[in-house]
Each structure stands twice: as C-alpha cells, then as structure tokens.
Amino acid sequence: MKDAYSLILAAIESGTYRPGDRLVESELAERFGVSRTPVREALQRLETQQMLVRDGRSLIVASLDHNQLAELYTVRAELEALAARLAARHATPEEVRVLAQMVADDQRAVGDPEALARANKRFHHQIHLASHNRYLVQQLDLVHRTMALMAKTSLAAEGRSETALAEHKRIVDAIAAGDGTAADKALRQHISMAWETRLKLEAAIDRD
C-alpha cells in the first residue's frame, strides 16, 4: 500500500493536480482513504521540497517560471548526459535490449502525447538505472520530480513525438556501441530539442 506522500506526488505527476491547484487536507484524506495526519505530514514534506507553495493559509501546487525552467533544463542536460555516458560503459546486454525494446514499443504511442510522456519518463529512468550509479539516480529522481510541475509535455508539440523517438534511438545505439562520448552528445541534443520545443510552446501561449 502506498503512503500519502507517494499518492499525492503521483497525482501531481499524472496531472490530476496541476500548477495552481489548491490541495485541501480533508479532501486528500477522503480521496486516498487515509487519515489526515499522514496527509498533513506529506503536504509538509512536499512544501519543503518546493513542490507546493503557500497562498495565504492554503497550499497550492507550485509552478515554474521561465528562469526556473531554464535552470532545470541546464541541470537535467548535465546529469542525463552523465547517465548516458556511464550507461555506455556499464549497461548490461539485458539493459540495452530493454532500452531498444522501449523505443520500438513507444512507436505505438505516437499521436498520444500523455501516453508518450509516461513512456518517455520510463525510458529516461531506465537510462538512469543503466548508469549503475545510485547517487546519480537519486539526483535525477529529484530533477524529474520537479519536472512534474510543468503543466504541459513538450511532446504535445506537432511533430515532436516522432523526432523525440528518433533521438531516443540514437541514444540507445550509442549506449549499445559502448560509445560514451556519442551517448553523452545524443542525450544533450535530445534535452536541447526538448527545451527548444518548450520555449516555442511558451511563446505560442504568450501570443494567445
């Protein structure tokens, strides 16, 4: 059975609760079938992690401004590239096959941005695990948890699904070849394209 913290975090990550939504202790307790005390503790923990912010006496799901997003993508690019480089060195044949199968399977999700976003998260996490560095995995978990505060996936942009999967394939090919330099470069390019796409989405929203 999941604890209150995991349940609330999963609801934020899935988009059930989006940036700006108010979280009410009694409503969460009823929704998840837990008592209010663990919910209160979970909310305090999420506030400490800056996933929630105060709005008067209420707690709301935090949102990321442009500068925070830029900082997040900078850190993500560095850590993900390191994970890819280490995966090229340490990934087992089984892990490489799993990554390749993920890319093939994810083709079926093209056209469904939300499904592809979930698949994308699994794919990146598999690379993190293939790095075989527990401290790096912990830091990347923190980065990806914060990414849940982005209201919309960049994979929703027209044509991004197809190009993202092509980028995934180049990353896996480099890892499979044991080429850490190429894996690092392919991952950086992938994150750069994701950030560029998000900037375009932001610009489009500003024009509306």
Side-chain angles (χ1 to χ4, degrees), residues 94-178:
E94 293 82 3
E95 287 172 324
V96 173
R97 285 197 294 271
V98 167
L99 284 167
Q101 189 61 53
M102 281 180 163
V103 174
D105 291 345
D106 292 348
Q107 295 290 341
R108 293 197 294 269
V110 170
D112 185 345
E114 297 305 322
L116 199 56
R118 292 190 294 272
N120 181 67
K121 184 179 178 181
R122 290 192 295 270
F123 173 80
H124 281 272
H125 187 61
Q126 189 61 38
I127 292 176
H128 306 166
L129 295 176
S131 74
H132 291 268
N133 186 306
R134 71 192 71 182
Y135 301 105
L136 180 57
V137 172
Q138 288 173 359
Q139 294 305 309
L140 280 163
D141 282 350
L142 175 60
V143 169
H144 278 260
R145 185 174 65 216
T146 306
M147 286 177 64
L149 299 176
M150 295 187 291
K152 190 174 185 180
T153 173
S154 62
L155 294 166
E158 185 176 355
R160 179 57 188 153
S161 295
E162 294 87 345
T163 55
L165 289 178
E167 291 160 13
H168 282 184
K169 185 176 186 307
R170 284 195 289 274
I171 295 165
V172 175
D173 288 346
I175 292 172

Coordinates of all heavy atoms in Angstrom, one line a residue, residues 94-178:
E94 N 21.3 -7.1 -21.2 CA 19.9 -7.1 -21.0 C 19.3 -5.7 -20.9 O 18.2 -5.4 -21.4 CB 19.6 -7.9 -19.7 CG 19.9 -9.3 -19.7 CD 21.4 -9.6 -19.5 OE1 22.2 -8.7 -19.2 OE2 21.8 -10.8 -19.5
E95 N 20.0 -4.8 -20.2 CA 19.5 -3.4 -20.1 C 19.5 -2.7 -21.5 O 18.5 -2.0 -21.7 CB 20.4 -2.6 -19.1 CG 20.2 -3.0 -17.7 CD 21.2 -2.4 -16.7 OE1 22.4 -2.3 -17.1 OE2 20.8 -2.1 -15.6
V96 N 20.4 -3.0 -22.3 CA 20.5 -2.4 -23.6 C 19.3 -2.9 -24.4 O 18.6 -2.1 -25.1 CB 21.8 -2.7 -24.3 CG1 21.7 -2.2 -25.8 CG2 23.0 -2.0 -23.6
R97 N 19.0 -4.2 -24.3 CA 17.9 -4.8 -25.1 C 16.5 -4.2 -24.6 O 15.6 -3.9 -25.4 CB 17.8 -6.3 -24.9 CG 18.9 -7.0 -25.8 CD 18.6 -8.5 -25.9 NE 18.7 -9.2 -24.7 CZ 19.8 -9.8 -24.2 NH1 20.9 -9.6 -24.9 NH2 19.8 -10.4 -23.1
V98 N 16.4 -3.9 -23.3 CA 15.2 -3.3 -22.7 C 15.0 -1.9 -23.3 O 13.9 -1.5 -23.7 CB 15.2 -3.3 -21.2 CG1 14.2 -2.4 -20.6 CG2 15.1 -4.7 -20.6
L99 N 16.1 -1.1 -23.3 CA 16.0 0.2 -23.9 C 15.6 0.2 -25.4 O 14.8 1.0 -25.8 CB 17.4 0.9 -23.7 CG 17.8 1.4 -22.3 CD1 19.2 1.8 -22.3 CD2 16.9 2.6 -21.9
A100 N 16.2 -0.7 -26.1 CA 15.9 -0.8 -27.5 C 14.4 -1.2 -27.7 O 13.7 -0.7 -28.6 CB 16.8 -1.8 -28.2
Q101 N 13.9 -2.1 -26.9 CA 12.5 -2.5 -27.0 C 11.6 -1.4 -26.6 O 10.5 -1.3 -27.2 CB 12.3 -3.8 -26.1 CG 10.9 -4.4 -26.3 CD 10.8 -4.9 -27.7 OE1 11.6 -5.7 -28.2 NE2 9.7 -4.5 -28.4
M102 N 12.0 -0.6 -25.6 CA 11.2 0.6 -25.3 C 11.0 1.5 -26.4 O 9.9 2.0 -26.7 CB 11.8 1.3 -24.1 CG 11.7 0.7 -22.7 SD 12.5 1.7 -21.5 CE 11.7 1.0 -20.0
V103 N 12.1 1.8 -27.2 CA 12.0 2.7 -28.3 C 11.0 2.1 -29.4 O 10.2 2.8 -29.9 CB 13.4 2.9 -28.9 CG1 13.2 3.7 -30.2 CG2 14.3 3.6 -27.9
A104 N 11.1 0.8 -29.6 CA 10.3 0.1 -30.6 C 8.8 0.2 -30.1 O 7.9 0.5 -30.9 CB 10.7 -1.3 -30.8
D105 N 8.6 -0.1 -28.8 CA 7.2 -0.2 -28.3 C 6.6 1.2 -28.3 O 5.4 1.4 -28.5 CB 7.2 -0.7 -26.9 CG 7.5 -2.2 -26.8 OD1 7.5 -2.9 -27.9 OD2 7.8 -2.7 -25.7
D106 N 7.4 2.2 -28.0 CA 6.9 3.6 -27.9 C 6.4 4.2 -29.2 O 5.6 5.2 -29.2 CB 7.9 4.5 -27.3 CG 8.2 4.2 -25.8 OD1 7.4 3.4 -25.3 OD2 9.2 4.7 -25.3
Q107 N 6.7 3.5 -30.3 CA 6.2 4.0 -31.6 C 4.7 3.9 -31.7 O 4.0 4.8 -32.3 CB 6.8 3.1 -32.8 CG 8.3 3.2 -33.0 CD 8.7 4.6 -33.5 OE1 7.9 5.3 -34.1 NE2 10.0 4.9 -33.4
R108 N 4.1 3.0 -30.9 CA 2.7 2.9 -30.9 C 2.0 4.0 -30.1 O 0.8 4.2 -30.3 CB 2.3 1.5 -30.2 CG 2.7 0.3 -31.0 CD 2.0 -0.9 -30.5 NE 2.3 -1.3 -29.1 CZ 3.3 -2.1 -28.8 NH1 4.0 -2.7 -29.7 NH2 3.6 -2.4 -27.5
A109 N 2.7 4.8 -29.4 CA 2.2 5.9 -28.6 C 2.2 7.2 -29.4 O 1.7 8.2 -28.9 CB 2.9 6.0 -27.2
V110 N 2.8 7.2 -30.5 CA 2.9 8.4 -31.3 C 1.4 8.9 -31.6 O 0.6 8.1 -32.0 CB 3.6 8.2 -32.7 CG1 3.4 9.4 -33.6 CG2 5.1 8.0 -32.4
G111 N 1.2 10.2 -31.3 CA -0.2 10.7 -31.5 C -0.9 10.8 -30.2 O -2.0 11.4 -30.1
D112 N -0.4 10.2 -29.2 CA -1.0 10.3 -27.8 C 0.1 10.9 -26.9 O 0.9 10.2 -26.2 CB -1.4 8.9 -27.4 CG -2.1 8.9 -26.0 OD1 -2.1 9.9 -25.3 OD2 -2.7 7.9 -25.7
P113 N 0.2 12.2 -26.8 CA 1.2 12.9 -26.0 C 1.3 12.4 -24.6 O 2.4 12.3 -24.0 CB 0.8 14.4 -26.1 CG 0.0 14.5 -27.4 CD -0.7 13.2 -27.4
E114 N 0.2 12.2 -23.9 CA 0.2 11.8 -22.5 C 0.8 10.5 -22.3 O 1.6 10.2 -21.4 CB -1.2 11.9 -21.9 CG -1.8 13.3 -21.9 CD -1.0 14.4 -21.3 OE1 -0.4 14.0 -20.2 OE2 -0.9 15.5 -21.8
A115 N 0.4 9.5 -23.2 CA 0.9 8.2 -23.1 C 2.4 8.2 -23.4 O 3.2 7.5 -22.8 CB 0.2 7.2 -24.1
L116 N 2.8 9.0 -24.4 CA 4.2 9.1 -24.8 C 5.0 9.7 -23.7 O 6.2 9.4 -23.4 CB 4.4 9.9 -26.1 CG 5.7 9.6 -26.8 CD1 5.9 8.2 -27.1 CD2 5.7 10.4 -28.1
A117 N 4.4 10.7 -23.0 CA 5.1 11.3 -21.8 C 5.4 10.3 -20.7 O 6.5 10.3 -20.1 CB 4.3 12.5 -21.3
R118 N 4.4 9.4 -20.5 CA 4.7 8.4 -19.5 C 5.8 7.4 -19.9 O 6.6 7.0 -19.1 CB 3.4 7.6 -19.2 CG 2.3 8.5 -18.5 CD 1.2 7.6 -18.0 NE 0.4 7.0 -19.1 CZ -0.6 7.6 -19.7 NH1 -1.0 8.8 -19.3 NH2 -1.3 7.0 -20.7
A119 N 5.7 7.1 -21.2 CA 6.7 6.2 -21.8 C 8.1 6.8 -21.7 O 9.1 6.2 -21.5 CB 6.4 5.8 -23.2
N120 N 8.1 8.1 -22.0 CA 9.4 8.9 -22.0 C 10.0 8.9 -20.6 O 11.2 8.7 -20.5 CB 9.1 10.3 -22.5 CG 10.3 11.2 -22.5 OD1 11.2 11.0 -23.3 ND2 10.4 12.2 -21.6
K121 N 9.2 9.0 -19.6 CA 9.7 9.0 -18.3 C 10.3 7.7 -17.9 O 11.4 7.6 -17.3 CB 8.6 9.4 -17.3 CG 9.0 9.5 -15.8 CD 7.9 9.8 -14.9 CE 8.3 9.9 -13.5 NZ 7.2 10.2 -12.6
R122 N 9.6 6.6 -18.3 CA 10.2 5.2 -18.1 C 11.5 5.0 -18.8 O 12.4 4.4 -18.3 CB 9.1 4.2 -18.5 CG 7.9 4.1 -17.7 CD 7.1 2.9 -18.0 NE 6.5 2.9 -19.3 CZ 5.3 3.4 -19.6 NH1 4.6 4.0 -18.7 NH2 4.9 3.4 -20.9
F123 N 11.6 5.5 -20.1 CA 12.8 5.4 -20.9 C 14.0 6.1 -20.2 O 15.0 5.5 -20.1 CB 12.5 5.9 -22.3 CG 13.8 6.0 -23.1 CD1 14.2 4.8 -23.8 CD2 14.5 7.2 -23.3 CE1 15.4 4.9 -24.6 CE2 15.6 7.2 -24.1 CZ 16.0 6.1 -24.8
H124 N 13.8 7.3 -19.8 CA 14.9 8.0 -19.2 C 15.3 7.4 -17.8 O 16.5 7.3 -17.5 CB 14.5 9.5 -19.0 CG 14.6 10.3 -20.2 ND1 15.8 10.9 -20.6 CD2 13.7 10.6 -21.2 CE1 15.6 11.5 -21.8 NE2 14.3 11.3 -22.2
H125 N 14.3 6.9 -17.1 CA 14.6 6.3 -15.8 C 15.4 5.0 -16.0 O 16.3 4.7 -15.3 CB 13.3 6.0 -15.0 CG 13.6 5.4 -13.7 ND1 14.2 6.2 -12.7 CD2 13.3 4.2 -13.1 CE1 14.3 5.4 -11.6 NE2 13.8 4.3 -11.8
Q126 N 15.1 4.3 -17.1 CA 15.9 3.1 -17.4 C 17.4 3.4 -17.7 O 18.3 2.7 -17.4 CB 15.3 2.4 -18.6 CG 15.9 1.0 -18.9 CD 15.7 0.0 -17.7 OE1 14.7 0.0 -17.1 NE2 16.7 -0.8 -17.5
I127 N 17.6 4.6 -18.4 CA 19.0 5.0 -18.7 C 19.6 5.3 -17.4 O 20.8 5.0 -17.1 CB 19.0 6.2 -19.6 CG1 18.5 5.8 -21.0 CG2 20.4 6.8 -19.7 CD1 18.4 7.0 -22.0
H128 N 18.9 6.0 -16.5 CA 19.5 6.4 -15.2 C 19.9 5.1 -14.4 O 21.1 5.0 -13.9 CB 18.4 7.1 -14.3 CG 17.8 8.3 -14.9 ND1 16.7 8.9 -14.4 CD2 18.2 9.0 -16.0 CE1 16.4 9.9 -15.2 NE2 17.2 10.0 -16.1
L129 N 19.1 4.1 -14.4 CA 19.4 2.8 -13.8 C 20.6 2.1 -14.4 O 21.5 1.5 -13.7 CB 18.2 1.9 -13.8 CG 17.0 2.3 -13.0 CD1 15.8 1.3 -13.2 CD2 17.3 2.5 -11.5
A130 N 20.7 2.2 -15.8 CA 21.8 1.6 -16.5 C 23.1 2.3 -16.3 O 24.2 1.7 -16.6 CB 21.5 1.6 -18.0
S131 N 23.1 3.5 -15.6 CA 24.4 4.1 -15.3 C 25.1 3.4 -14.2 O 26.3 3.5 -14.0 CB 24.1 5.6 -14.9 OG 23.5 5.7 -13.6
H132 N 24.3 2.7 -13.4 CA 24.8 1.9 -12.2 C 25.5 2.8 -11.2 O 26.5 2.5 -10.7 CB 25.7 0.8 -12.6 CG 25.0 -0.3 -13.3 ND1 24.4 -1.4 -12.7 CD2 24.6 -0.5 -14.6 CE1 23.8 -2.2 -13.6 NE2 23.9 -1.7 -14.8
N133 N 24.9 4.0 -11.0 CA 25.4 5.0 -10.0 C 24.2 5.5 -9.2 O 23.4 6.3 -9.7 CB 26.1 6.1 -10.7 CG 26.8 7.1 -9.7 OD1 26.2 7.6 -8.8 ND2 28.1 7.3 -9.9
R134 N 24.1 4.9 -8.0 CA 22.9 5.2 -7.2 C 22.7 6.7 -6.8 O 21.6 7.2 -6.7 CB 22.9 4.3 -5.9 CG 24.0 4.8 -4.9 CD 24.2 3.7 -3.8 NE 24.8 2.5 -4.4 CZ 25.1 1.5 -3.6 NH1 24.7 1.4 -2.4 NH2 25.7 0.4 -4.2
Y135 N 23.9 7.4 -6.7 CA 23.8 8.8 -6.3 C 23.3 9.7 -7.4 O 22.5 10.6 -7.2 CB 25.1 9.3 -5.8 CG 25.6 8.5 -4.6 CD1 26.6 7.5 -4.7 CD2 25.0 8.6 -3.3 CE1 27.0 6.7 -3.6 CE2 25.4 7.8 -2.2 CZ 26.4 6.9 -2.4 OH 26.8 6.1 -1.4
L136 N 23.7 9.3 -8.6 CA 23.2 10.0 -9.8 C 21.7 9.7 -10.0 O 21.0 10.6 -10.3 CB 24.0 9.5 -11.0 CG 23.6 10.1 -12.4 CD1 23.7 11.7 -12.3 CD2 24.5 9.6 -13.5
V137 N 21.3 8.5 -9.8 CA 19.9 8.1 -9.9 C 19.1 9.0 -8.9 O 18.0 9.5 -9.3 CB 19.7 6.6 -9.7 CG1 18.2 6.3 -9.6 CG2 20.3 5.8 -10.8
Q138 N 19.6 9.1 -7.7 CA 18.8 9.9 -6.7 C 18.7 11.4 -7.2 O 17.6 12.0 -7.0 CB 19.6 9.9 -5.4 CG 19.5 8.5 -4.6 CD 20.4 8.5 -3.4 OE1 21.1 9.5 -3.1 NE2 20.4 7.4 -2.7
Q139 N 19.7 12.0 -7.7 CA 19.7 13.3 -8.1 C 18.7 13.5 -9.3 O 18.0 14.5 -9.4 CB 21.1 13.9 -8.5 CG 22.0 14.0 -7.3 CD 21.4 14.8 -6.2 OE1 21.0 15.9 -6.4 NE2 21.5 14.3 -5.0
L140 N 18.8 12.5 -10.2 CA 17.9 12.6 -11.4 C 16.4 12.4 -11.0 O 15.5 12.9 -11.6 CB 18.3 11.6 -12.4 CG 19.5 12.1 -13.3 CD1 20.2 10.9 -14.0 CD2 19.0 13.1 -14.3
D141 N 16.2 11.6 -10.0 CA 14.8 11.4 -9.5 C 14.3 12.8 -9.0 O 13.1 13.1 -9.2 CB 14.8 10.4 -8.3 CG 14.8 9.0 -8.8 OD1 14.7 8.7 -10.0 OD2 15.0 8.1 -8.0
L142 N 15.1 13.5 -8.3 CA 14.7 14.9 -7.8 C 14.4 15.8 -9.0 O 13.4 16.5 -9.0 CB 15.9 15.5 -7.0 CG 15.7 16.9 -6.5 CD1 14.4 17.0 -5.6 CD2 16.9 17.4 -5.7
V143 N 15.3 15.8 -10.0 CA 15.0 16.6 -11.2 C 13.7 16.2 -11.9 O 12.9 17.1 -12.2 CB 16.2 16.5 -12.2 CG1 15.9 17.1 -13.6 CG2 17.5 17.1 -11.6
H144 N 13.5 15.0 -12.1 CA 12.3 14.5 -12.8 C 11.0 14.7 -11.9 O 9.9 15.0 -12.5 CB 12.4 13.1 -13.2 CG 13.2 12.9 -14.5 ND1 12.6 12.8 -15.7 CD2 14.5 13.0 -14.8 CE1 13.5 12.7 -16.7 NE2 14.7 12.9 -16.1
R145 N 11.2 14.7 -10.6 CA 10.0 15.0 -9.8 C 9.6 16.5 -10.0 O 8.5 16.8 -10.1 CB 10.4 14.7 -8.3 CG 9.2 15.0 -7.3 CD 9.6 14.5 -5.9 NE 10.6 15.4 -5.4 CZ 11.6 14.9 -4.6 NH1 11.7 13.7 -4.3 NH2 12.5 15.8 -4.1
T146 N 10.6 17.4 -10.0 CA 10.4 18.8 -10.2 C 9.7 19.0 -11.6 O 8.9 19.9 -11.8 CB 11.7 19.6 -10.1 OG1 12.2 19.3 -8.8 CG2 11.4 21.1 -10.2
M147 N 10.1 18.2 -12.6 CA 9.6 18.4 -13.9 C 8.1 18.1 -14.0 O 7.4 18.5 -14.9 CB 10.3 17.4 -14.9 CG 11.7 17.9 -15.3 SD 12.5 16.7 -16.3 CE 11.4 16.8 -17.8
A148 N 7.5 17.4 -12.9 CA 6.1 17.2 -12.9 C 5.3 18.5 -12.7 O 4.1 18.6 -13.0 CB 5.8 16.3 -11.7
L149 N 6.0 19.6 -12.4 CA 5.4 20.9 -12.2 C 5.2 21.6 -13.5 O 4.6 22.7 -13.6 CB 6.2 21.8 -11.2 CG 6.4 21.2 -9.8 CD1 7.3 22.1 -9.0 CD2 5.0 21.1 -9.1
M150 N 5.7 21.0 -14.6 CA 5.5 21.6 -15.9 C 4.1 21.2 -16.4 O 3.8 20.0 -16.4 CB 6.5 21.2 -16.9 CG 7.9 21.7 -16.5 SD 9.2 21.3 -17.8 CE 9.4 19.6 -17.7
A151 N 3.2 22.2 -16.7 CA 1.8 21.9 -16.9 C 1.6 21.1 -18.2 O 0.6 20.4 -18.2 CB 1.1 23.2 -17.0
K152 N 2.5 21.2 -19.1 CA 2.2 20.5 -20.4 C 3.5 19.9 -20.9 O 4.6 20.4 -20.8 CB 1.7 21.5 -21.4 CG 1.1 20.9 -22.7 CD 0.5 22.0 -23.6 CE -0.2 21.4 -24.8 NZ -0.8 22.4 -25.7
T153 N 3.4 18.7 -21.5 CA 4.5 18.0 -22.0 C 4.9 18.6 -23.3 O 4.1 18.9 -24.2 CB 4.3 16.5 -22.2 OG1 5.4 15.9 -22.9 CG2 3.0 16.2 -23.0
S154 N 6.3 18.7 -23.6 CA 6.7 19.2 -24.8 C 6.4 18.2 -26.0 O 6.5 18.6 -27.2 CB 8.2 19.5 -24.8 OG 9.0 18.3 -24.5
L155 N 6.1 17.0 -25.6 CA 5.7 16.0 -26.6 C 4.4 16.3 -27.3 O 4.0 15.6 -28.3 CB 5.7 14.6 -26.0 CG 7.1 14.1 -25.5 CD1 7.0 12.9 -24.6 CD2 8.0 13.8 -26.7
A156 N 3.7 17.3 -26.8 CA 2.4 17.6 -27.3 C 2.6 18.5 -28.6 O 1.6 18.7 -29.4 CB 1.5 18.4 -26.3
A157 N 3.8 19.1 -28.8 CA 4.0 19.9 -29.9 C 4.0 19.1 -31.2 O 4.4 17.9 -31.2 CB 5.4 20.6 -29.8
E158 N 3.5 19.7 -32.3 CA 3.3 19.0 -33.5 C 4.7 18.5 -34.0 O 5.7 19.2 -34.1 CB 2.7 19.9 -34.6 CG 2.4 19.2 -35.9 CD 1.7 20.1 -36.9 OE1 1.4 21.3 -36.5 OE2 1.5 19.7 -38.0
G159 N 4.7 17.2 -34.3 CA 5.9 16.5 -34.9 C 7.0 16.2 -33.8 O 7.9 15.5 -34.2
R160 N 6.8 16.6 -32.6 CA 7.9 16.3 -31.6 C 7.9 14.9 -31.2 O 9.0 14.3 -30.9 CB 7.6 17.2 -30.3 CG 8.6 17.0 -29.2 CD 10.0 17.3 -29.6 NE 11.0 16.9 -28.6 CZ 12.2 16.5 -28.9 NH1 12.7 16.5 -30.1 NH2 13.0 16.2 -27.9
S161 N 6.8 14.2 -31.2 CA 6.8 12.7 -30.8 C 7.8 11.9 -31.7 O 8.6 11.2 -31.2 CB 5.4 12.2 -30.9 OG 4.5 12.8 -30.0
E162 N 7.6 12.1 -33.0 CA 8.5 11.4 -34.0 C 9.9 11.7 -33.8 O 10.8 10.8 -33.8 CB 8.0 11.6 -35.4 CG 6.6 11.1 -35.7 CD 5.5 12.1 -35.4 OE1 5.8 13.1 -34.7 OE2 4.4 11.9 -35.9
T163 N 10.3 13.0 -33.7 CA 11.7 13.4 -33.6 C 12.3 12.9 -32.2 O 13.4 12.5 -32.2 CB 11.9 14.9 -33.7 OG1 11.0 15.6 -32.8 CG2 11.5 15.3 -35.1
A164 N 11.5 13.0 -31.2 CA 11.9 12.5 -29.9 C 12.3 11.1 -29.9 O 13.3 10.6 -29.3 CB 10.9 12.8 -28.8
L165 N 11.5 10.2 -30.5 CA 11.7 8.8 -30.6 C 13.0 8.5 -31.4 O 13.8 7.6 -31.1 CB 10.5 8.0 -31.1 CG 9.3 8.0 -30.2 CD1 8.2 7.2 -30.8 CD2 9.7 7.3 -28.9
A166 N 13.2 9.3 -32.5 CA 14.4 9.2 -33.3 C 15.6 9.5 -32.5 O 16.7 8.8 -32.6 CB 14.3 10.1 -34.5
E167 N 15.5 10.5 -31.6 CA 16.6 10.9 -30.7 C 16.8 9.8 -29.7 O 18.0 9.5 -29.4 CB 16.2 12.2 -30.0 CG 16.2 13.4 -31.0 CD 15.4 14.6 -30.4 OE1 15.1 14.6 -29.2 OE2 15.1 15.5 -31.2
H168 N 15.8 9.2 -29.2 CA 15.9 8.1 -28.3 C 16.7 6.9 -28.9 O 17.6 6.3 -28.3 CB 14.5 7.6 -27.8 CG 13.9 8.4 -26.8 ND1 12.7 8.1 -26.2 CD2 14.2 9.6 -26.2 CE1 12.3 9.0 -25.3 NE2 13.3 9.9 -25.3
K169 N 16.4 6.7 -30.2 CA 17.1 5.6 -30.8 C 18.6 5.9 -31.0 O 19.4 5.0 -30.8 CB 16.5 5.3 -32.2 CG 17.1 4.1 -33.0 CD 16.4 3.8 -34.3 CE 17.0 2.5 -34.9 NZ 18.4 2.5 -35.0
R170 N 19.0 7.1 -31.3 CA 20.4 7.5 -31.4 C 21.1 7.3 -30.0 O 22.2 6.9 -30.0 CB 20.5 8.9 -31.9 CG 20.3 9.1 -33.4 CD 20.8 10.4 -33.9 NE 20.0 11.5 -33.5 CZ 18.9 11.9 -34.1 NH1 18.4 11.3 -35.1 NH2 18.2 13.0 -33.6
I171 N 20.4 7.6 -29.0 CA 20.9 7.5 -27.6 C 21.2 6.0 -27.3 O 22.3 5.6 -26.9 CB 20.0 8.0 -26.5 CG1 19.9 9.6 -26.7 CG2 20.5 7.7 -25.1 CD1 18.7 10.2 -25.9
V172 N 20.2 5.1 -27.6 CA 20.3 3.7 -27.4 C 21.4 3.1 -28.2 O 22.2 2.3 -27.8 CB 19.0 3.0 -27.6 CG1 19.2 1.5 -27.4 CG2 17.9 3.5 -26.6
D173 N 21.5 3.5 -29.5 CA 22.5 3.0 -30.4 C 23.9 3.3 -29.9 O 24.8 2.4 -29.9 CB 22.4 3.6 -31.8 CG 21.2 3.0 -32.6 OD1 20.6 2.0 -32.1 OD2 20.8 3.6 -33.6
A174 N 24.1 4.5 -29.3 CA 25.4 4.9 -28.8 C 25.7 4.1 -27.5 O 26.9 3.6 -27.3 CB 25.4 6.4 -28.5
I175 N 24.7 3.9 -26.7 CA 24.9 3.1 -25.5 C 25.3 1.6 -25.8 O 26.2 1.0 -25.3 CB 23.7 3.1 -24.5 CG1 23.5 4.5 -24.0 CG2 23.8 2.1 -23.4 CD1 22.2 4.7 -23.2
A176 N 24.5 1.1 -26.8 CA 24.8 -0.3 -27.3 C 26.2 -0.5 -27.8 O 26.8 -1.5 -27.7 CB 23.7 -0.7 -28.3
A177 N 26.7 0.6 -28.5 CA 28.0 0.5 -29.1 C 29.1 0.8 -28.0 O 30.3 0.7 -28.3 CB 28.1 1.6 -30.2
G178 N 28.7 1.1 -26.8 CA 29.7 1.4 -25.7 C 30.4 2.7 -26.0 O 31.5 2.9 -25.4

